[in-house]
Amino acid sequence: MIMDSLRYWVEEMHVDGFRFDLASILARDTSGHLMANPPVLWDIESDPALAGTKMIAEAWDAAGLYQVGSFIGDSWKEWNGRFRDDVRGFFRGQESSVTRLADRLVGSPQIYGHEEREAEQSVNL
């Protein structure tokens, strides 16, 4: 149903992107355990009809799974909630906020500076 809906919105309604709230839930199995290769996320990423479509994940879920900087796939972009939190902390004058803000402004290398992710995958809000 997810794939059919996405294809319909892209092909018929000409939608060019989607934001998935609490997207990390799609990485869990029916028992709630994290899957190494969640099929629905890979199906979305590899579907030819969805090629070039912007996919933005809110890379956490309500049960505590936090995947910012480690969300599956190459084409998925991630809401960088730490960017929001650290900018807010800076303007509130929180201790050590300058260092965190500096890291966010240069692309969050502490989060995305590893082989599986790149700064371009961060969506700063």
Side-chain angles (χ1 to χ4, degrees), residues 2-3 25-27 35 37-45 76:
I2 293 171
M3 296 303 299
I25 193 71
L26 299 173
M35 293 183 283
N37 292 298
V40 72
L41 294 176
W42 285 115
D43 288 348
I44 292 169
E45 176 154 335
W76 286 91

Side-chain angles (χ1 to χ4, degrees), residues 2-69:
I2 293 171
M3 296 303 299
D4 289 342
S5 297
L6 292 172
R7 283 189 211 107
Y8 173 80
W9 281 97
V10 168
E11 294 171 345
E12 302 299 324
M13 305 302 286
H14 306 287
V15 171
D16 66 352
F18 300 92
R19 175 181 179 238
F20 291 76
D21 286 354
L22 304 174
S24 289
I25 193 71
L26 299 173
R28 293 183 182 271
D29 64 18
T30 56
S31 300
H33 298 101
L34 180 62
M35 293 183 283
N37 292 298
V40 72
L41 294 176
W42 285 115
D43 288 348
I44 292 169
E45 176 154 335
S46 63
D47 190 288
L50 302 176
T53 303
K54 297 167 193 72
M55 299 293 176
I56 301 171
E58 187 180 61
W60 54 85
D61 68 17
L65 180 58
Y66 192 81
Q67 296 180 296
V68 173

Side-chain angles (χ1 to χ4, degrees), residues 1 49 61 104:
M1 184 172 98
D61 68 17
R104 301 301 163 251

